[in-house]
Amino acid sequence: MTGYSSKTDVATANGKQNGSGNQTGENGTKPTEFTPQGNHASENNIQCSLTSDEFRAVNLMRQDMYPYEVIQEIADFIVKGSGIRPKIGIICGSGLGSLADIIQNPKVFDYEKIPNFPVSTVEGHAGRLVVGTLEGANVMAMQGRFHFYEGYPLAKCSMPVRVMKLCGVEYLFATNAAGGINPKYAVGDIMLMHDHVNMLGFAGNSPLQGPNDPRFGPRFPALVNSYNKDLINKAIEISKTMGIESSVHVGVYSCLGGPTYETIAELKALRMMGVDAVGMSTVHEVITARHCDMKVFAFSLITNKCATEYSDKKDDEASHDEVMAVAKNRQKTCCELVSRLVAEIQKTA
Ligand SMILES: O=P(O)(O)O[C@@H]1C[C@H](O)[C@@H](CO)O1
Ligand SMILES: Nc1nc2[nH]cnc2c(=O)[nH]1
């Protein structure tokens, strides 16, 4: 492979708390009634009953506004608690948690113990923040990311990227497990992301939706050149020294909402759009990172081949078990790629 150049507060469950004096569920046993707003709801007499505890839990999950000061508090908690100001932030994809296990002198924070932090709900995402050193560089790694399909708004999914920024992180390394749509890709290959197609964005959803705080970045950020070309080229060089260049590609990733894997028709459409690999994450993290001017490097581990023709083969069906198994098999290679790239950054620092 030759060097790369780019030519080639609270949204509620569709309703709001009923103000008619029905909120008597403080003991958690009597349901609090909510009447979804809007004519359709009242015309159809739709009602949804939640206990007040359930309502609070949903509200907490749906929270998508994190004021700068709250993010700063979380960042201070991590920097003070670890005694480290990290320069590189790593997000571990499904089954790639071992990227955080190679961090030396780790200080580990369970997400539950970090104030105002969401919790991980997906297998293969441990839910821990690991801060320490890698190849002499100060790093922090999310062993577990947040996905839209878990019920979190995109701003909440990518809130930790802002925490990284306020901790001092300059480089974001985002990794993911993805289905290979490009017919040349094989299971176990690595695709260095050089661009993305934001399907959730096409549908009007963005992690930057809502009021913009200019302390993070501009209202209308540009996204061309989001994926740092120097880092892509360095990763290609590293792949050659590792002898894996034939299984490393440079391509376009697309994020869908999940949790379903794609239909054949959807995969055909994505391929026509120039997408090489498809997943359910990363894009909102990259958008948030670019908004606050972080340098981004991202790669997909191809954990399954996506069929783009109809057939009755059971093999064509993606499964999370397969995703996890392939990630486990390839974790050593992914760890080596990441640590060598960190070493390169550290060398030029
Ligand atoms: O967190 P990533 O994007 O690596 O996880 C992918 C997308 C889904 O969460 C899961 C599907 O198997 O893997
Ligand atoms: N959307 C999506 N996400 C994945 N994560 C791992 N494989 C896949 C896939 O085929 N599709």
Side-chain angles (χ1 to χ4, degrees), residues 177-190:
I181 307 184
N182 186 321
K184 293 192 181 127
Y185 292 5
V187 169
D189 285 0
I190 288 171

Side-chain angles (χ1 to χ4, degrees), residues 255-334:
C255 168
L256 272 63
T260 51
Y261 296 105
E262 294 67 38
T263 64
I264 299 282
E266 287 163 351
L267 291 163
K268 279 176 188 278
L270 289 167
R271 187 67 196 135
M272 278 195 287
M273 292 165 77
V275 172
D276 297 297
V278 60
M280 306 176 197
S281 67
T282 308
V283 167
H284 41 276
E285 298 156 353
V286 171
I287 291 171
T288 304
R290 290 303 298 148
H291 180 241
C292 62
D293 202 26
M294 287 160 84
K295 294 188 180 76
V296 170
F297 171 73
F299 72 78
S300 302
L301 174 66
I302 305 301
T303 51
N304 52 290
K305 260 179 102 65
C306 295
T308 48
E309 295 303 331
Y310 294 98
S311 93
D312 293 331
K313 280 190 285 171
K314 196 78 184 155
D315 278 4
D316 285 349
E317 290 184 5
S319 83
H320 195 55
D321 286 346
E322 182 190 8
V323 168
M324 296 289 290
V326 173
K328 192 165 175 233
N329 267 337
R330 299 294 285 164
Q331 57 187 349
K332 205 161 156 259
T333 304
C334 294

Side-chain angles (χ1 to χ4, degrees), residues 1-78:
M1 181 183 305
T2 52
Y4 160 73
S5 112
S6 69
K7 284 193 190 130
T8 61
D9 154 337
V10 179
T12 61
N14 197 26
K16 109 178 176 191
Q17 195 155 356
N18 189 342
S20 63
N22 284 338
Q23 296 134 18
T24 53
E26 285 309 311
N27 61 8
T29 50
K30 186 169 180 201
T32 303
E33 277 193 349
F34 303 99
T35 308
Q37 300 300 291
N39 291 338
H40 291 303
S42 49
E43 275 162 19
N44 296 329
N45 198 23
I46 298 167
Q47 287 220 323
C48 130
S49 294
L50 295 178
T51 66
S52 52
D53 281 350
E54 285 165 341
F55 182 67
R56 276 191 210 98
V58 171
N59 263 0
L60 204 59
M61 189 150 209
R62 300 295 308 164
Q63 178 188 2
D64 59 359
M65 294 293 161
Y66 285 87
Y68 190 94
E69 291 69 22
V70 171
I71 308 259
Q72 185 72 66
E73 273 169 30
I74 304 174
D76 290 347
F77 176 86
I78 292 160

